[in-house]
């Protein structure tokens, strides 16, 4: 569970992160902020490519930055778009890799939260690392 202060920190950081989006094709800027269990914050924004499928979502940029820095345990992630759009299926699967408990906050560009739940809430029936254990 996030504290009220952590919720605000995440949403503010995701609003800020959105400004770094490279989205010349869709013009749909997305910002994400991820809070690790030890209190470190990672920001991400979507990065598009002229070869469209090579583009990467904001959520995965933030998660991959954190994982590459050695983090595995997360408290929550905030995602900000102009209309409070929802994380794509690929990003939900990447979130689920690191647990179904972390909070997910979906907010619009004004930082108004339109949905709050857990990773498990937004990916019911997830395939997880537990499936690969004997
Ligand atoms: N996008 C994200 O960054 N996160 C999502 O969860 C959904 C979509 C990006 C990908 C692309 O750059 C743009 O939004 C439009 O699809």
């Amino acid at each position: 569970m996030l504290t009220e202060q952590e919720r605000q920190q995440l949403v503010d950081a995701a609003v800020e992160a959105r400004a770094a989006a490279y989205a010349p094709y869709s013009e749909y800027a997305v910002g994400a902020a991820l809070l690790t269990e030890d209190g470190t914050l990672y920001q991400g924004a979507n990065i598009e490519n002229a070869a469209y499928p090579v583009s990467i979502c904001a959520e995965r940029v933030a998660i991959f930055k954190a994982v590459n820095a050695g983090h595995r345990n997360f408290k929550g992630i905030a995602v900000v778009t102009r209309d409070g759009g929802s994380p794509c299926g690929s990003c939900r699967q990447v979130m689920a890799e690191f647990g179904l408990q972390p909070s997910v906050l979906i907010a619009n560009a004004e930082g108004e939260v339109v949905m709050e739940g857990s990773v498990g809430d937004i990916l019911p029936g997830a395939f997880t690392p537990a499936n690969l254990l004997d």
Side-chain angles (χ1 to χ4, degrees), residues 57-113:
C57 294
E59 299 92 315
R60 277 177 283 160
V61 171
I63 294 168
F64 292 161
K65 281 166 72 176
V67 171
N68 197 52
H71 298 280
R72 301 289 184 269
N73 300 303
F74 305 108
K75 285 186 178 175
I77 186 166
V79 184
V80 166
T81 60
R82 63 185 177 214
D83 61 347
S86 201
C88 79
S90 296
C91 289
R92 293 174 195 220
Q93 184 64 36
V94 170
M95 290 175 196
E97 179 69 18
F98 302 100
L100 301 178
Q101 293 81 18
S103 298
V104 180
L105 302 167
I106 301 173
N108 62 24
E110 286 71 49
E112 295 161 349
V113 175

